[in-house]
mmCIF file of all heavy atoms in Angstrom:
data_model
loop_
_atom_site.group_PDB
_atom_site.id
_atom_site.type_symbol
_atom_site.label_atom_id
_atom_site.label_comp_id
_atom_site.label_asym_id
_atom_site.label_seq_id
_atom_site.Cartn_x
_atom_site.Cartn_y
_atom_site.Cartn_z
ATOM 1 N N ASP G 38 6.772 40.594 14.934
ATOM 2 C CA ASP G 38 7.761 41.191 14.090
ATOM 3 C C ASP G 38 9.107 41.073 14.616
ATOM 4 O O ASP G 38 10.132 41.057 13.946
ATOM 5 C CB ASP G 38 7.414 42.581 13.814
ATOM 6 C CG ASP G 38 6.187 42.698 12.881
ATOM 7 O OD1 ASP G 38 5.836 41.651 12.149
ATOM 8 O OD2 ASP G 38 5.481 43.851 12.756
ATOM 9 N N GLN G 39 9.294 41.126 15.950
ATOM 10 C CA GLN G 39 10.542 41.149 16.568
ATOM 11 C C GLN G 39 11.147 39.752 17.147
ATOM 12 O O GLN G 39 12.342 39.785 17.467
ATOM 13 C CB GLN G 39 10.610 42.243 17.776
ATOM 14 C CG GLN G 39 10.351 43.584 17.224
ATOM 15 C CD GLN G 39 10.060 44.695 18.412
ATOM 16 O OE1 GLN G 39 10.702 44.508 19.492
ATOM 17 N NE2 GLN G 39 9.279 45.609 18.136
ATOM 18 N N ILE G 40 10.332 38.928 17.273
ATOM 19 C CA ILE G 40 10.830 37.415 17.619
ATOM 20 C C ILE G 40 10.422 36.365 16.857
ATOM 21 O O ILE G 40 11.366 35.641 16.313
ATOM 22 C CB ILE G 40 10.141 37.254 19.185
ATOM 23 C CG1 ILE G 40 10.545 38.298 20.184
ATOM 24 C CG2 ILE G 40 10.631 35.825 19.562
ATOM 25 C CD1 ILE G 40 9.960 38.097 21.502
ATOM 26 N N VAL G 41 9.138 36.293 16.446
ATOM 27 C CA VAL G 41 8.774 35.101 15.593
ATOM 28 C C VAL G 41 9.388 35.110 14.275
ATOM 29 O O VAL G 41 10.097 34.227 13.756
ATOM 30 C CB VAL G 41 7.242 34.931 15.493
ATOM 31 C CG1 VAL G 41 6.791 33.944 14.598
ATOM 32 C CG2 VAL G 41 6.616 34.843 17.001
ATOM 33 N N VAL G 42 9.172 36.285 13.495
ATOM 34 C CA VAL G 42 9.665 36.399 12.143
ATOM 35 C C VAL G 42 11.176 36.366 12.159
ATOM 36 O O VAL G 42 11.711 35.479 11.359
ATOM 37 C CB VAL G 42 9.085 37.697 11.567
ATOM 38 C CG1 VAL G 42 9.909 37.877 10.214
ATOM 39 C CG2 VAL G 42 7.577 37.576 11.339
ATOM 40 N N PRO G 43 12.006 37.004 12.902
ATOM 41 C CA PRO G 43 13.438 36.885 12.905
ATOM 42 C C PRO G 43 13.928 35.511 13.114
ATOM 43 O O PRO G 43 14.791 35.005 12.495
ATOM 44 C CB PRO G 43 14.032 37.793 13.974
ATOM 45 C CG PRO G 43 12.795 38.810 14.215
ATOM 46 C CD PRO G 43 11.621 38.092 13.927
ATOM 47 N N ALA G 44 13.228 34.852 14.074
ATOM 48 C CA ALA G 44 13.720 33.367 14.350
ATOM 49 C C ALA G 44 13.373 32.555 13.168
ATOM 50 O O ALA G 44 14.232 31.702 12.891
ATOM 51 C CB ALA G 44 12.884 32.861 15.600
ATOM 52 N N LEU G 45 12.229 32.642 12.516
ATOM 53 C CA LEU G 45 11.965 31.840 11.418
ATOM 54 C C LEU G 45 12.896 32.153 10.202
ATOM 55 O O LEU G 45 13.324 31.398 9.446
ATOM 56 C CB LEU G 45 10.482 32.023 10.936
ATOM 57 C CG LEU G 45 9.403 31.416 11.829
ATOM 58 C CD1 LEU G 45 8.015 31.790 11.333
ATOM 59 C CD2 LEU G 45 9.493 29.968 11.957
ATOM 60 N N GLU G 46 13.278 33.457 10.128
ATOM 61 C CA GLU G 46 14.197 33.777 9.016
ATOM 62 C C GLU G 46 15.505 33.162 9.320
ATOM 63 O O GLU G 46 16.302 32.686 8.369
ATOM 64 C CB GLU G 46 14.349 35.289 9.063
ATOM 65 C CG GLU G 46 13.166 36.004 8.344
ATOM 66 C CD GLU G 46 13.301 37.571 8.447
ATOM 67 O OE1 GLU G 46 14.139 38.168 9.118
ATOM 68 O OE2 GLU G 46 12.476 38.242 7.712
ATOM 69 N N GLU G 47 15.968 33.080 10.603
ATOM 70 C CA GLU G 47 17.243 32.440 10.906
ATOM 71 C C GLU G 47 17.163 31.055 10.605
ATOM 72 O O GLU G 47 18.098 30.455 10.046
ATOM 73 C CB GLU G 47 17.528 32.605 12.346
ATOM 74 C CG GLU G 47 17.986 34.076 12.802
ATOM 75 C CD GLU G 47 19.453 34.384 12.042
ATOM 76 O OE1 GLU G 47 20.187 33.582 11.963
ATOM 77 O OE2 GLU G 47 19.597 35.495 11.636
ATOM 78 N N ILE G 48 16.129 30.358 10.899
ATOM 79 C CA ILE G 48 15.982 28.951 10.584
ATOM 80 C C ILE G 48 16.003 28.627 9.106
ATOM 81 O O ILE G 48 16.523 27.712 8.612
ATOM 82 C CB ILE G 48 14.587 28.449 11.373
ATOM 83 C CG1 ILE G 48 14.780 28.405 12.756
ATOM 84 C CG2 ILE G 48 14.297 26.983 10.798
ATOM 85 C CD1 ILE G 48 13.566 28.172 13.585
ATOM 86 N N GLY G 49 15.310 29.545 8.404
ATOM 87 C CA GLY G 49 15.279 29.425 6.800
ATOM 88 C C GLY G 49 16.700 29.564 6.329
ATOM 89 O O GLY G 49 17.086 28.738 5.578
ATOM 90 N N ARG G 50 17.519 30.533 6.796
ATOM 91 C CA ARG G 50 18.923 30.645 6.361
ATOM 92 C C ARG G 50 19.774 29.408 6.705
ATOM 93 O O ARG G 50 20.588 29.040 5.969
ATOM 94 C CB ARG G 50 19.487 31.933 6.931
ATOM 95 C CG ARG G 50 19.134 33.257 6.207
ATOM 96 C CD ARG G 50 19.997 34.372 6.533
ATOM 97 N NE ARG G 50 19.442 34.940 7.796
ATOM 98 C CZ ARG G 50 18.665 35.926 7.899
ATOM 99 N NH1 ARG G 50 18.024 36.437 6.768
ATOM 100 N NH2 ARG G 50 18.312 36.412 9.012
ATOM 101 N N ALA G 51 19.437 28.892 7.891
ATOM 102 C CA ALA G 51 20.225 27.763 8.371
ATOM 103 C C ALA G 51 19.862 26.475 7.382
ATOM 104 O O ALA G 51 20.681 25.679 7.245
ATOM 105 C CB ALA G 51 19.955 27.597 9.837
ATOM 106 N N TRP G 52 18.534 26.486 7.137
ATOM 107 C CA TRP G 52 18.178 25.237 6.332
ATOM 108 C C TRP G 52 18.947 25.414 4.961
ATOM 109 O O TRP G 52 19.445 24.342 4.343
ATOM 110 C CB TRP G 52 16.685 25.171 5.929
ATOM 111 C CG TRP G 52 16.311 24.093 5.107
ATOM 112 C CD1 TRP G 52 16.346 22.782 5.366
ATOM 113 C CD2 TRP G 52 15.942 24.259 3.699
ATOM 114 N NE1 TRP G 52 15.994 22.015 4.211
ATOM 115 C CE2 TRP G 52 15.801 22.904 3.310
ATOM 116 C CE3 TRP G 52 15.814 25.325 2.939
ATOM 117 C CZ2 TRP G 52 15.496 22.660 1.912
ATOM 118 C CZ3 TRP G 52 15.557 25.019 1.548
ATOM 119 C CH2 TRP G 52 15.214 23.682 1.078
ATOM 120 N N GLU G 53 19.036 26.567 4.306
ATOM 121 C CA GLU G 53 19.680 26.794 3.040
ATOM 122 C C GLU G 53 21.134 26.425 3.156
ATOM 123 O O GLU G 53 21.681 25.888 2.257
ATOM 124 C CB GLU G 53 19.402 28.185 2.720
ATOM 125 C CG GLU G 53 19.451 28.559 1.233
ATOM 126 C CD GLU G 53 19.374 30.049 1.064
ATOM 127 O OE1 GLU G 53 18.461 30.690 1.668
ATOM 128 O OE2 GLU G 53 20.178 30.552 0.379
ATOM 129 N N ALA G 54 21.711 26.658 4.238
ATOM 130 C CA ALA G 54 23.096 26.369 4.456
ATOM 131 C C ALA G 54 23.381 24.880 4.887
ATOM 132 O O ALA G 54 24.428 24.531 5.101
ATOM 133 C CB ALA G 54 23.710 27.340 5.554
ATOM 134 N N GLY G 55 22.301 24.120 5.020
ATOM 135 C CA GLY G 55 22.359 22.678 5.391
ATOM 136 C C GLY G 55 22.609 22.444 6.869
ATOM 137 O O GLY G 55 23.037 21.397 7.261
ATOM 138 N N GLU G 56 22.295 23.518 7.626
ATOM 139 C CA GLU G 56 22.445 23.371 9.126
ATOM 140 C C GLU G 56 21.320 22.849 9.882
ATOM 141 O O GLU G 56 21.526 22.418 11.028
ATOM 142 C CB GLU G 56 23.006 24.731 9.659
ATOM 143 C CG GLU G 56 24.348 25.136 9.115
ATOM 144 C CD GLU G 56 24.534 26.673 9.260
ATOM 145 O OE1 GLU G 56 23.706 27.393 9.844
ATOM 146 O OE2 GLU G 56 25.550 27.125 8.740
ATOM 147 N N VAL G 57 20.161 23.011 9.465
ATOM 148 C CA VAL G 57 18.943 22.474 9.938
ATOM 149 C C VAL G 57 18.128 21.731 8.818
ATOM 150 O O VAL G 57 18.467 21.919 7.664
ATOM 151 C CB VAL G 57 18.088 23.422 10.646
ATOM 152 C CG1 VAL G 57 18.717 24.263 11.750
ATOM 153 C CG2 VAL G 57 17.342 24.411 9.737
ATOM 154 N N ALA G 58 17.272 20.831 9.207
ATOM 155 C CA ALA G 58 16.491 19.960 8.344
ATOM 156 C C ALA G 58 15.136 20.616 8.003
ATOM 157 O O ALA G 58 14.491 21.329 8.784
ATOM 158 C CB ALA G 58 16.482 18.590 8.860
ATOM 159 N N LEU G 59 14.631 20.054 6.888
ATOM 160 C CA LEU G 59 13.244 20.515 6.511
ATOM 161 C C LEU G 59 12.165 20.135 7.552
ATOM 162 O O LEU G 59 11.152 21.009 7.914
ATOM 163 C CB LEU G 59 12.885 19.729 5.213
ATOM 164 C CG LEU G 59 11.769 20.357 4.372
ATOM 165 C CD1 LEU G 59 12.069 21.807 4.080
ATOM 166 C CD2 LEU G 59 11.544 19.512 3.092
ATOM 167 N N SER G 60 12.410 18.979 8.289
ATOM 168 C CA SER G 60 11.423 18.659 9.363
ATOM 169 C C SER G 60 11.413 19.762 10.388
ATOM 170 O O SER G 60 10.286 20.037 10.930
ATOM 171 C CB SER G 60 11.779 17.368 9.921
ATOM 172 O OG SER G 60 13.068 17.419 10.633
ATOM 173 N N GLN G 61 12.506 20.352 10.605
ATOM 174 C CA GLN G 61 12.554 21.389 11.696
ATOM 175 C C GLN G 61 11.969 22.642 11.225
ATOM 176 O O GLN G 61 11.307 23.457 11.994
ATOM 177 C CB GLN G 61 14.108 21.694 12.038
ATOM 178 C CG GLN G 61 14.611 20.474 12.955
ATOM 179 C CD GLN G 61 16.174 20.573 12.993
ATOM 180 O OE1 GLN G 61 16.832 20.542 11.954
ATOM 181 N NE2 GLN G 61 16.694 20.716 14.148
ATOM 182 N N VAL G 62 12.135 22.957 9.910
ATOM 183 C CA VAL G 62 11.547 24.199 9.342
ATOM 184 C C VAL G 62 9.965 24.045 9.356
ATOM 185 O O VAL G 62 9.238 24.904 9.731
ATOM 186 C CB VAL G 62 12.007 24.372 7.904
ATOM 187 C CG1 VAL G 62 11.379 25.628 7.233
ATOM 188 C CG2 VAL G 62 13.616 24.459 7.859
ATOM 189 N N TYR G 63 9.604 22.834 9.008
ATOM 190 C CA TYR G 63 7.991 22.500 8.934
ATOM 191 C C TYR G 63 7.556 22.659 10.378
ATOM 192 O O TYR G 63 6.579 23.343 10.538
ATOM 193 C CB TYR G 63 7.913 21.211 8.279
ATOM 194 C CG TYR G 63 6.524 20.570 8.546
ATOM 195 C CD1 TYR G 63 5.429 21.159 7.886
ATOM 196 C CD2 TYR G 63 6.306 19.536 9.334
ATOM 197 C CE1 TYR G 63 4.185 20.689 7.932
ATOM 198 C CE2 TYR G 63 5.010 18.987 9.531
ATOM 199 C CZ TYR G 63 3.968 19.616 8.857
ATOM 200 O OH TYR G 63 2.638 19.134 8.939
ATOM 201 N N MET G 64 8.147 22.015 11.317
ATOM 202 C CA MET G 64 7.533 22.017 12.650
ATOM 203 C C MET G 64 7.611 23.336 13.269
ATOM 204 O O MET G 64 6.773 23.822 14.049
ATOM 205 C CB MET G 64 8.322 20.954 13.541
ATOM 206 C CG MET G 64 8.037 19.491 13.162
ATOM 207 S SD MET G 64 6.360 19.077 13.126
ATOM 208 C CE MET G 64 5.836 18.916 14.795
ATOM 209 N N SER G 65 8.646 24.062 12.948
ATOM 210 C CA SER G 65 8.778 25.507 13.494
ATOM 211 C C SER G 65 7.638 26.358 12.937
ATOM 212 O O SER G 65 7.047 27.134 13.749
ATOM 213 C CB SER G 65 10.141 26.126 13.029
ATOM 214 O OG SER G 65 11.219 25.364 13.463
ATOM 215 N N GLY G 66 7.352 26.233 11.681
ATOM 216 C CA GLY G 66 6.207 26.941 11.083
ATOM 217 C C GLY G 66 5.028 26.528 11.688
ATOM 218 O O GLY G 66 4.090 27.382 12.011
ATOM 219 N N ARG G 67 4.755 25.191 11.914
ATOM 220 C CA ARG G 67 3.546 24.785 12.468
ATOM 221 C C ARG G 67 3.238 25.317 13.962
ATOM 222 O O ARG G 67 2.268 25.790 14.303
ATOM 223 C CB ARG G 67 3.476 23.260 12.615
ATOM 224 C CG ARG G 67 2.701 22.536 11.518
ATOM 225 C CD ARG G 67 2.634 21.109 11.735
ATOM 226 N NE ARG G 67 1.907 20.776 13.112
ATOM 227 C CZ ARG G 67 1.895 19.621 13.572
ATOM 228 N NH1 ARG G 67 2.435 18.602 12.940
ATOM 229 N NH2 ARG G 67 1.305 19.294 14.732
ATOM 230 N N ILE G 68 4.362 25.212 14.800
ATOM 231 C CA ILE G 68 4.288 25.817 16.057
ATOM 232 C C ILE G 68 4.053 27.203 16.211
ATOM 233 O O ILE G 68 3.138 27.775 16.835
ATOM 234 C CB ILE G 68 5.628 25.417 16.910
ATOM 235 C CG1 ILE G 68 5.781 23.945 17.088
ATOM 236 C CG2 ILE G 68 5.747 26.248 18.240
ATOM 237 C CD1 ILE G 68 7.260 23.569 17.546
ATOM 238 N N CYS G 69 4.692 27.946 15.269
ATOM 239 C CA CYS G 69 4.602 29.565 15.317
ATOM 240 C C CYS G 69 3.217 29.841 14.668
ATOM 241 O O CYS G 69 2.539 30.786 15.152
ATOM 242 C CB CYS G 69 5.607 30.146 14.351
ATOM 243 S SG CYS G 69 7.198 30.111 15.196
ATOM 244 N N GLU G 70 2.686 29.111 13.735
ATOM 245 C CA GLU G 70 1.384 29.360 13.199
ATOM 246 C C GLU G 70 0.268 29.206 14.314
ATOM 247 O O GLU G 70 -0.539 30.125 14.453
ATOM 248 C CB GLU G 70 1.070 28.400 12.069
ATOM 249 C CG GLU G 70 -0.240 28.634 11.300
ATOM 250 C CD GLU G 70 -0.581 27.613 10.260
ATOM 251 O OE1 GLU G 70 0.118 26.609 10.216
ATOM 252 O OE2 GLU G 70 -1.654 27.757 9.645
ATOM 253 N N ALA G 71 0.388 28.239 15.092
ATOM 254 C CA ALA G 71 -0.615 27.918 16.149
ATOM 255 C C ALA G 71 -0.430 29.101 17.259
ATOM 256 O O ALA G 71 -1.444 29.608 17.815
ATOM 257 C CB ALA G 71 -0.408 26.584 16.906
ATOM 258 N N LEU G 72 0.841 29.553 17.540
ATOM 259 C CA LEU G 72 0.983 30.468 18.592
ATOM 260 C C LEU G 72 0.449 31.833 18.156
ATOM 261 O O LEU G 72 -0.213 32.580 18.854
ATOM 262 C CB LEU G 72 2.500 30.733 18.838
ATOM 263 C CG LEU G 72 3.172 29.593 19.727
ATOM 264 C CD1 LEU G 72 4.690 29.840 19.574
ATOM 265 C CD2 LEU G 72 2.612 29.571 21.047
ATOM 266 N N VAL G 73 0.658 32.106 16.806
ATOM 267 C CA VAL G 73 0.292 33.376 16.360
ATOM 268 C C VAL G 73 -1.287 33.490 16.249
ATOM 269 O O VAL G 73 -1.882 34.391 16.489
ATOM 270 C CB VAL G 73 0.953 33.810 15.004
ATOM 271 C CG1 VAL G 73 0.349 35.008 14.306
ATOM 272 C CG2 VAL G 73 2.456 34.004 15.239
ATOM 273 N N GLU G 74 -1.769 32.331 15.770
ATOM 274 C CA GLU G 74 -3.209 32.206 15.703
ATOM 275 C C GLU G 74 -3.877 32.646 17.029
ATOM 276 O O GLU G 74 -4.945 33.231 17.090
ATOM 277 C CB GLU G 74 -3.701 30.655 15.301
ATOM 278 C CG GLU G 74 -5.069 30.595 14.977
ATOM 279 C CD GLU G 74 -5.325 30.880 13.513
ATOM 280 O OE1 GLU G 74 -4.398 31.039 12.706
ATOM 281 O OE2 GLU G 74 -6.518 31.156 13.253
ATOM 282 N N ALA G 75 -3.234 32.156 18.142
ATOM 283 C CA ALA G 75 -3.789 32.325 19.540
ATOM 284 C C ALA G 75 -3.765 33.794 19.831
ATOM 285 O O ALA G 75 -4.709 34.340 20.552
ATOM 286 C CB ALA G 75 -3.052 31.399 20.553
ATOM 287 N N VAL G 76 -2.623 34.467 19.515
ATOM 288 C CA VAL G 76 -2.582 35.847 20.062
ATOM 289 C C VAL G 76 -2.893 36.819 19.022
ATOM 290 O O VAL G 76 -3.220 38.068 19.336
ATOM 291 C CB VAL G 76 -1.067 36.191 20.336
ATOM 292 C CG1 VAL G 76 -0.455 35.283 21.539
ATOM 293 C CG2 VAL G 76 -0.080 36.107 19.082
ATOM 294 N N LEU G 77 -3.133 36.444 17.746
ATOM 295 C CA LEU G 77 -3.679 37.387 16.752
ATOM 296 C C LEU G 77 -4.551 36.633 15.752
ATOM 297 O O LEU G 77 -4.190 36.131 14.648
ATOM 298 C CB LEU G 77 -2.396 37.857 15.932
ATOM 299 C CG LEU G 77 -2.485 39.112 15.006
ATOM 300 C CD1 LEU G 77 -2.621 40.385 16.002
ATOM 301 C CD2 LEU G 77 -1.380 39.279 14.188
ATOM 302 N N PRO G 78 -5.852 36.411 16.188
ATOM 303 C CA PRO G 78 -6.704 35.748 15.456
ATOM 304 C C PRO G 78 -7.031 36.373 14.061
ATOM 305 O O PRO G 78 -6.720 37.538 13.858
ATOM 306 C CB PRO G 78 -7.988 35.682 16.292
ATOM 307 C CG PRO G 78 -7.838 36.612 17.426
ATOM 308 C CD PRO G 78 -6.489 36.954 17.516
ATOM 309 N N PRO G 79 -7.581 35.533 13.080
ATOM 310 C CA PRO G 79 -7.793 35.990 11.726
ATOM 311 C C PRO G 79 -8.583 37.373 11.676
ATOM 312 O O PRO G 79 -8.369 38.216 10.706
ATOM 313 C CB PRO G 79 -8.602 34.857 11.111
ATOM 314 C CG PRO G 79 -8.161 33.733 11.828
ATOM 315 C CD PRO G 79 -7.935 34.059 13.254
ATOM 316 N N SER G 80 -9.471 37.533 12.665
ATOM 317 C CA SER G 80 -10.229 38.778 12.600
ATOM 318 C C SER G 80 -9.655 39.980 13.093
ATOM 319 O O SER G 80 -10.065 41.185 13.155
ATOM 320 C CB SER G 80 -11.557 38.562 13.439
ATOM 321 O OG SER G 80 -11.161 38.195 14.821
ATOM 322 N N ASP G 81 -8.303 39.810 13.837
ATOM 323 C CA ASP G 81 -7.661 40.890 14.426
ATOM 324 C C ASP G 81 -7.373 41.993 13.385
ATOM 325 O O ASP G 81 -6.754 41.636 12.319
ATOM 326 C CB ASP G 81 -6.402 40.461 15.063
ATOM 327 C CG ASP G 81 -5.756 41.453 16.066
ATOM 328 O OD1 ASP G 81 -5.308 42.501 15.408
ATOM 329 O OD2 ASP G 81 -5.886 41.299 17.185
ATOM 330 N N PRO G 82 -7.653 43.272 13.560
ATOM 331 C CA PRO G 82 -7.275 44.326 12.669
ATOM 332 C C PRO G 82 -5.707 44.418 12.426
ATOM 333 O O PRO G 82 -5.323 44.916 11.328
ATOM 334 C CB PRO G 82 -7.740 45.618 13.330
ATOM 335 C CG PRO G 82 -7.923 45.323 14.752
ATOM 336 C CD PRO G 82 -8.214 43.795 14.850
ATOM 337 N N ASP G 83 -4.910 43.831 13.180
ATOM 338 C CA ASP G 83 -3.472 43.903 12.912
ATOM 339 C C ASP G 83 -3.073 42.814 11.878
ATOM 340 O O ASP G 83 -1.761 42.850 11.483
ATOM 341 C CB ASP G 83 -2.620 43.648 14.135
ATOM 342 C CG ASP G 83 -2.430 45.021 14.909
ATOM 343 O OD1 ASP G 83 -2.675 46.031 14.269
ATOM 344 O OD2 ASP G 83 -2.068 45.006 16.078
ATOM 345 N N ARG G 84 -4.005 41.883 11.575
ATOM 346 C CA ARG G 84 -3.655 40.907 10.468
ATOM 347 C C ARG G 84 -3.283 41.579 9.234
ATOM 348 O O ARG G 84 -4.165 42.605 8.890
ATOM 349 C CB ARG G 84 -4.764 39.804 10.440
ATOM 350 C CG ARG G 84 -4.701 38.815 11.459
ATOM 351 C CD ARG G 84 -3.883 37.576 10.848
ATOM 352 N NE ARG G 84 -3.657 36.520 11.999
ATOM 353 C CZ ARG G 84 -3.035 35.409 11.767
ATOM 354 N NH1 ARG G 84 -2.406 35.290 10.679
ATOM 355 N NH2 ARG G 84 -2.846 34.478 12.579
ATOM 356 N N LYS G 85 -2.454 41.075 8.404
ATOM 357 C CA LYS G 85 -2.067 41.740 7.265
ATOM 358 C C LYS G 85 -2.885 41.049 5.994
ATOM 359 O O LYS G 85 -2.597 39.968 5.577
ATOM 360 C CB LYS G 85 -0.597 41.524 6.908
ATOM 361 C CG LYS G 85 0.258 42.266 8.081
ATOM 362 C CD LYS G 85 1.728 41.724 8.113
ATOM 363 C CE LYS G 85 2.282 42.117 9.410
ATOM 364 N NZ LYS G 85 3.614 41.448 9.523
ATOM 365 N N HIS G 86 -4.046 41.689 5.651
ATOM 366 C CA HIS G 86 -4.987 41.088 4.698
ATOM 367 C C HIS G 86 -4.589 41.641 3.209
ATOM 368 O O HIS G 86 -5.084 40.977 2.330
ATOM 369 C CB HIS G 86 -6.399 41.477 4.941
ATOM 370 C CG HIS G 86 -6.860 40.877 6.186
ATOM 371 N ND1 HIS G 86 -7.630 39.676 6.184
ATOM 372 C CD2 HIS G 86 -6.786 41.257 7.507
ATOM 373 C CE1 HIS G 86 -7.958 39.468 7.508
ATOM 374 N NE2 HIS G 86 -7.489 40.360 8.293
#
Side-chain angles (χ1 to χ4, degrees):
Chain G
D38 288 344
Q39 293 173 34
I40 299 176
V41 175
V42 170
L45 290 175
E46 284 176 348
E47 285 297 323
I48 290 170
R50 276 193 283 270
W52 178 73
E53 209 183 309
E56 294 160 5
V57 303
L59 199 60
S60 62
Q61 292 164 299
V62 180
Y63 168 67
M64 293 303 288
S65 299
R67 258 188 58 188
I68 292 169
C69 289
E70 185 184 7
L72 287 173
V73 170
E74 190 80 19
V76 300
L77 199 70
S80 57
D81 193 292
D83 275 346
R84 278 269 175 185
K85 301 158 191 170
H86 293 267

